[in-house]
């Protein structure tokens, strides 16, 4: 199914303004209504003392994947902010890259429940390493907060 070019452009433009995602080396891989996938290469500067990707980096791409999935369900011009999230770290994040796959569970006018699964990919084989649930808030008509 083809993605609406206007929706894709909105999400890509918003993601490009996230300097922290650039710092992490994260990039958008897929955008569809209610779904977003973000990839991040594993590199030494993202790892903690045991050589695993730091939970902060894992959480960041998971939060962004869930938040952008939520944004795909909101009208153009609205923004999204995460009100809360919970993450379960299921196994050490190692490998060649991490893939965060966000999707909307239930979209509402003000609050949207979204989730993200993070996979550690080694030699093309994904292994689930984290799961996040997030409550995302639609922000309308607020200076500085839009898609």
């Amino acid at each position: 199914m083809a993605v609406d070019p206007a929706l894709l452009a909105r999400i890509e433009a918003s993601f490009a303004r996230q300097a922290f995602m650039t710092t992490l080396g994260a990039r958008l891989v897929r955008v569809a209504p209610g779904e977003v996938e973000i990839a991040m290469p594993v590199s030494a500067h993202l790892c903690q003392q045991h050589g695993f990707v730091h939970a902060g980096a894992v959480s960041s791409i998971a939060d962004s994947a869930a938040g952008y999935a939520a944004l795909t369900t909101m009208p153009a011009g609205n923004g999204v902010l995460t009100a809360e999230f919970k993450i379960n770290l299921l196994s050490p994040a190692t490998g060649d890259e991490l893939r965060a796959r966000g999707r909307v569970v239930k979209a509402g006018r003000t609050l949207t429940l979204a989730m993200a699964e993070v996979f550690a990919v080694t030699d093309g084989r994904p292994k689930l390493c984290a799961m996040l649930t997030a409550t995302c808030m639609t922000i309308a008509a607020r200076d500085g907060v839009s898609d």
Side-chain angles (χ1 to χ4, degrees), residues 2 16 29 62-63 67 72 91 105 143-144:
V29 203
D63 175 45
T72 67
S91 67
V105 175
D143 286 343

Side-chain angles (χ1 to χ4, degrees), residues 29 33 36 39 46 81 84 107 119 122 141-143:
V29 203
V36 165
L46 299 176
L81 291 175
E84 68 83 34
F119 296 87
T122 305
R142 182 169 175 180
D143 286 343

Side-chain angles (χ1 to χ4, degrees), residues 55-137:
V58 175
S59 298
S60 293
I61 63 167
D63 175 45
S64 283
Y68 277 109
L71 186 61
T72 67
T73 67
M74 298 174 188
N78 285 351
V80 64
L81 291 175
T82 300
E84 68 83 34
F85 73 72
K86 179 195 185 306
I87 189 162
N88 290 91
L89 303 166
L90 306 172
S91 67
T94 61
D96 305 317
E97 75 173 0
L98 300 184
R99 293 274 180 138
R101 297 179 188 151
R103 72 176 178 83
V104 170
V105 175
K106 183 182 184 311
R109 186 175 44 228
T110 304
L111 297 177
T112 296
L113 179 64
M115 65 168 292
E117 294 176 311
V118 181
F119 296 87
V121 182
T122 305
D123 296 326
R125 291 185 317 273
K127 178 182 178 186
L128 183 64
C129 67
M131 291 182 65
L132 172 140
T133 56
T135 304
C136 302
M137 177 180 265

Side-chain angles (χ1 to χ4, degrees), residues 32-46:
E35 299 179 357
V36 165
E37 185 171 350
I38 295 171
M40 181 184 74
V42 171
S43 60
H45 78 281
L46 299 176

